[in-house]
Amino acid sequence: MDNLASLRSVENVRLVDRFNTRQQIIGTLFLTSTHIIFIDPEGKRETWILHSFISSVDKLPITQQGCPLRIRTKHFFSAEFIITKERDCTDLHATLSQLKPDSYEKLYCFLYQAPNYLEKIWDPFLLATEYMRMGVPNHDWKVDDSNSSFDICDTYPPLIYVPTSTTKAMLLGSSKFRSRGRLPVLTYLHPNGASITRCSQPLAGFSARCVEDEQLLQCILKTNSQSNTMYIVDTRPRINAVANRAAGKGYENEGYYSNAQFKFCPIENIHIMRGSLQKVLEVCEMKNPSMNQYLNALDNSSWLQHIKAVLDAAIFIARAIDIEKKNVLVHCSDGWDRTAQCCSLSSLLLCPYYRSIHGFRMLIEKEWLSFGHKFSDRCGHLRTNDNKEQSPVFLQFIESVWQLSQIYPTAFEFNERFLISLHDHSHSCQYGNFIGNCEKDRLDLGVKERTYSYWNYILQNVNDFKNSLFRPQSSYASEVLLPIIYPQTLKFWLNMYHRFDSGLLPKENIPNTLTHLVDHTTALNDHARLLEKRIRELRLTLENGITTPTSNEDIHELQDNHNITSFIEHDSGLSENELNQTTIESIQPKSLQPLNSSSDIESGISSDYSPQNKHLTSSYILQHQSSSEINDIPTLERIALELNSIALDWRSYNTPFHCTCSLPFDSAQRKYNCWRCGENFCIRCIEHGIRLPGLYSNSLVPVCKTCLRSIKLSPVFVDGSMPNKSNYRNQTDIKLPTSVFDQKQI
């Protein structure tokens, strides 16, 4: 890091397009304490790379243009910079190679300064609450606090759930017989009484046995009255499990575990998965491949075969639980990689709750965080991590969920953007949720007191992560999912692995287009309601001989003469004839009464008219106006402002490729349409807590900063938005070194 102070910037750097080497952008490369930033002099493009994302920095052979430097990231971005001076390239390479921290205390999450809208609040996850939702404890299962000080197993949560008939001697004996002390414990209980339990491999060797472990499995079997047998699912290839016996580990001896059926699900180990992903990335970086070259290279990576193996194992477990009504015990070697994949995916298939945004969060917290998936080792958070321990285990789970969402597009509340964000932030170290290798590590680091929570970030931006196709009432969303996975079923996830290659992606993304249409329709309907109201007001004004006011003075004069009448809302439920008749009969200046605001049940928006008493008011306050602006009839200036504050046409999501601030858009990034001008903007160029005068509902909507300044300059504009942190989400987004990762930058 000593070179960082002397290497703040490097000029005349070329950024090469990897699919068109002749297309190059010349600019300046900046280094900050958290990011690498490339900016061209004309400001047409900015490229931000978070240090935590960097997976490799390679110095390539010198060319006539200079010294190439290739940077690859953990979220599948690859950039090649050509630096004019070799000395600058060498210094930059040495600096970037040492950026990864050597201790947890130096991770980005402990330095990150969030935007104002994101508070350092952790919504507590209580494991007991999740088990209570499943009906545990009950007469078959109990909670046990023997691990409250992490004495039995330091990678398990403090509270574990075991059969009520177990004794402490059984638990202690089983923990000593299982690798890493990870004894069999409950992880999912189905409504039919069948359960999923998880553990690690036994230290059985060729002949060793443990009576306490055998007794514990018999206790698990007896919790299910609907079956007298249970499955023991080993998620390793059988040959791997047999090989582990030579090291004194292996799998259960079938002769010692009565009433147990053994099933091997051949999911390969972390080393093969790491090599498979590397081959996928090589496929993604191929330049102008032929169809045969591309398909053969993708097939040789075996990536989709591995995804299918994970899904097949999860589906087998789900079928055993739901159809055969049998208990299932799941393990791999140490019980924190393939076991986490299979237990979480099978729970997702069995329980619709886990297919909601909140439920999926609970699933991640339970299966991956509480039960000790080694995030720091598998994601390579620290320089001291062994590279051989890195593996895309969590990515495979995320992709398996995505594959299921492609089969059942209406069954999941969350969208693709949510899954990509979850994968990225497991590597970014921006939030404290995924730091460390187990719950004990995070408690020792005090992440809840010292860092921001990823789930709070999701909560504050939840609409960005909702699936427009989700239908809670559909059969798929409310029942067990048991798909049959054929080779033709699986797809290559372009938006994950090619998200920064806009030329390779579909021109129209269906989920994004649906979100765009829903938002646009909402804006137009809201604006139309206000226009209908204004038309009725003007019509009744003309019918009663009232001159349309052109200024506030005219309004006050009309108020003094008691010529103001109120106007019945179109949403009152009356027909047009009834509205006209009621209005004509009721317009008597001497009988005008103030009206107490009532709620429009259908729209949820406060109405000026109450169907119960049909009273009219001598002064009305529009829902989109502040309480201080008591103008009974809007001026022409006000009407003009309302008409010009809503865009009728919106820019399509498929264009442009860059925001006006030069930030490049990628497929995982949410584009926001400004409701006033209709153009696309990134999250740092949009304000979300704005009330536009042209909307009937007075809702908070996204408006670009340029339009906001223009509206505020209007003499008749009243700012009705409250200075709430949740409304002003981006007050510090463009400051450095505030994280731009929340802004979906590279």
Side-chain angles (χ1 to χ4, degrees), residues 681-726:
F681 295 91
C682 68
I683 192 171
R684 73 179 185 180
C685 295
I686 207 84
E687 292 283 355
H688 286 260
I690 308 304
R691 291 183 169 94
L692 291 178
L695 294 177
Y696 177 87
S697 67
N698 204 27
S699 300
L700 299 175
V701 299
V703 176
C704 71
K705 295 180 179 180
T706 302
C707 287
L708 180 59
R709 287 192 294 268
S710 175
I711 293 174
K712 287 185 174 180
L713 290 175
S714 172
V716 295
F717 173 73
V718 176
D719 189 358
S721 58
M722 298 297 293
N724 188 307
K725 286 186 178 182
S726 63

Side-chain angles (χ1 to χ4, degrees), residues 317-357:
I317 297 170
R319 285 185 176 276
I321 295 290
D322 185 60
I323 296 177
E324 299 183 51
K325 298 179 175 57
K326 293 183 179 182
N327 289 348
V328 181
L329 173 67
V330 185
H331 71 73
C332 50
S333 296
D334 292 321
W336 49 44
D337 291 320
R338 290 166 281 197
T339 301
Q341 289 176 334
C342 293
C343 289
S344 52
L345 282 172
S346 55
S347 298
L348 187 79
L349 293 169
L350 289 165
C351 182
Y353 169 70
Y354 292 132
R355 302 196 283 271
S356 67
I357 292 177

Side-chain angles (χ1 to χ4, degrees), residues 405-422:
S405 73
Q406 300 303 294
I407 301 172
Y408 303 103
T410 64
F412 295 83
E413 186 186 14
F414 48 83
N415 58 18
E416 178 184 65
R417 186 180 297 112
F418 175 73
L419 296 174
I420 293 176
S421 170
L422 187 59

Side-chain angles (χ1 to χ4, degrees), residues 145-415:
D145 61 356
S146 301
N147 198 44
S148 57
S149 300
F150 303 102
D151 294 330
I152 294 180
C153 178
D154 60 0
T155 59
Y156 266 9
L159 298 178
I160 56 177
Y161 290 80
V162 294
T164 54
S165 56
T166 57
T167 64
K168 190 168 185 177
M170 290 183 194
L171 301 180
L172 291 174
S174 178
S175 67
K176 294 176 182 178
F177 185 65
R178 294 280 171 173
S179 177
R180 312 285 183 174
R182 296 171 67 88
L183 70 158
V185 295
L186 177 70
T187 184
Y188 174 76
L189 182 63
H190 201 56
N192 66 10
S195 65
I196 300 176
T197 47
R198 59 180 294 172
C199 62
S200 61
Q201 66 181 338
L203 305 179
F206 290 103
S207 59
R209 65 184 298 183
C210 175
V211 175
E212 292 85 359
D213 190 73
E214 297 164 17
Q215 291 173 341
L216 177 55
L217 263 64
Q218 286 301 309
C219 291
I220 292 174
L221 172 63
K222 293 176 182 178
T223 60
N224 183 5
S225 60
Q226 301 190 68
S227 177
N228 56 7
T229 62
M230 65 178 289
Y231 280 110
I232 297 179
V233 173
D234 192 325
T235 58
R236 301 168 292 180
R238 187 183 186 98
I239 189 173
N240 293 15
V242 172
N244 278 348
R245 279 190 162 182
K249 301 177 182 179
Y251 59 97
E252 294 81 359
N253 190 313
E254 299 181 21
Y256 299 150
Y257 294 87
S258 58
N259 301 320
Q261 297 175 261
F262 290 83
K263 170 70 175 179
F264 286 93
C265 296
I267 303 174
E268 297 292 348
N269 61 37
I270 60 172
H271 311 294
I272 290 178
M273 299 305 188
R274 181 176 62 250
S276 178
L277 178 62
Q278 182 58 40
K279 291 179 181 179
V280 169
L281 300 184
E282 292 172 1
V283 173
C284 294
E285 293 184 0
M286 294 176 67
K287 297 179 180 179
N288 301 318
S290 66
M291 181 63 76
N292 284 339
Q293 288 174 329
Y294 178 78
L295 294 178
N296 288 337
L298 184 60
D299 182 57
N300 290 336
S301 73
S302 300
W303 182 254
L304 290 178
Q305 288 93 313
H306 297 318
I307 297 295
K308 185 177 184 300
V310 173
L311 283 169
D312 286 342
I315 294 168
F316 173 84
I317 297 170
R319 285 185 176 276
I321 295 290
D322 185 60
I323 296 177
E324 299 183 51
K325 298 179 175 57
K326 293 183 179 182
N327 289 348
V328 181
L329 173 67
V330 185
H331 71 73
C332 50
S333 296
D334 292 321
W336 49 44
D337 291 320
R338 290 166 281 197
T339 301
Q341 289 176 334
C342 293
C343 289
S344 52
L345 282 172
S346 55
S347 298
L348 187 79
L349 293 169
L350 289 165
C351 182
Y353 169 70
Y354 292 132
R355 302 196 283 271
S356 67
I357 292 177
H358 184 265
F360 196 74
R361 177 255 174 112
M362 295 295 112
L363 187 67
I364 298 297
E365 290 274 9
K366 175 167 64 78
E367 300 290 353
W368 294 86
L369 295 171
S370 294
F371 282 104
H373 176 65
K374 300 170 66 176
F375 275 102
S376 283
D377 282 355
R378 297 295 180 255
C379 298
H381 290 160
L382 301 177
R383 193 190 314 165
T384 54
N385 293 138
D386 186 353
N387 290 337
K388 293 181 180 180
E389 286 292 303
Q390 294 186 38
S391 189
V393 177
F394 192 59
L395 169 61
Q396 288 183 318
F397 164 71
I398 293 295
E399 178 162 345
S400 297
V401 176
W402 178 80
Q403 296 284 357
L404 290 172
S405 73
Q406 300 303 294
I407 301 172
Y408 303 103
T410 64
F412 295 83
E413 186 186 14
F414 48 83
N415 58 18

Side-chain angles (χ1 to χ4, degrees), residues 78-106:
S78 178
E80 184 176 322
F81 299 100
I82 299 180
I83 301 171
T84 306
K85 298 180 181 179
E86 184 180 1
R87 180 178 178 181
D88 287 344
C89 182
T90 302
D91 291 344
L92 185 60
H93 177 265
T95 300
L96 296 179
S97 299
Q98 298 299 315
L99 285 178
K100 186 179 289 189
D102 55 7
S103 69
Y104 285 120
E105 299 292 336
K106 297 178 182 178

Side-chain angles (χ1 to χ4, degrees), residues 501-647:
D501 305 319
S502 56
L504 300 180
L505 300 175
K507 301 304 179 185
E508 294 286 349
N509 183 292
I510 294 177
N512 289 344
T513 301
L514 285 174
T515 301
H516 172 90
L517 291 175
V518 168
D519 290 347
H520 194 188
T521 303
T522 300
L524 293 179
N525 285 339
D526 204 336
H527 186 50
R529 292 187 67 189
L530 179 64
L531 296 181
E532 289 172 353
K533 179 176 183 177
R534 292 290 182 242
I535 291 171
R536 292 195 300 274
E537 292 170 351
L538 293 174
R539 183 188 66 189
L540 293 175
T541 299
L542 293 174
E543 289 177 354
N544 289 276
I546 301 175
T547 304
T548 302
T550 60
S551 65
N552 290 335
E553 290 76 8
D554 293 339
I555 291 178
H556 292 312
E557 182 179 350
L558 290 172
Q559 288 176 329
D560 294 338
N561 294 329
H562 301 286
N563 289 327
I564 305 301
T565 61
S566 64
F567 306 102
I568 301 171
E569 290 297 323
H570 181 67
D571 298 301
S572 62
L574 299 178
S575 67
E576 185 173 355
N577 291 335
E578 291 172 326
L579 268 173
N580 294 335
Q581 184 64 30
T582 303
T583 304
I584 293 171
E585 292 175 355
S586 302
I587 299 180
Q588 302 295 335
K590 294 182 181 180
S591 64
L592 294 177
Q593 301 287 336
L595 174 66
N596 294 325
S597 176
S598 63
S599 176
D600 185 328
I601 297 176
E602 181 178 357
S603 64
I605 301 171
S606 180
S607 173
D608 294 330
Y609 174 72
S610 172
Q612 284 78 16
N613 52 34
K614 300 184 181 178
H615 287 169
L616 295 173
T617 178
S618 60
S619 64
Y620 63 85
I621 300 176
L622 298 180
Q623 295 299 320
H624 54 285
Q625 293 175 314
S626 67
S627 59
S628 62
E629 187 183 17
I630 310 177
N631 292 334
D632 296 303
I633 298 180
T635 64
L636 293 179
E637 290 89 345
R638 176 72 187 184
I639 293 176
L641 178 65
E642 292 171 350
L643 290 173
N644 294 326
S645 68
I646 300 297

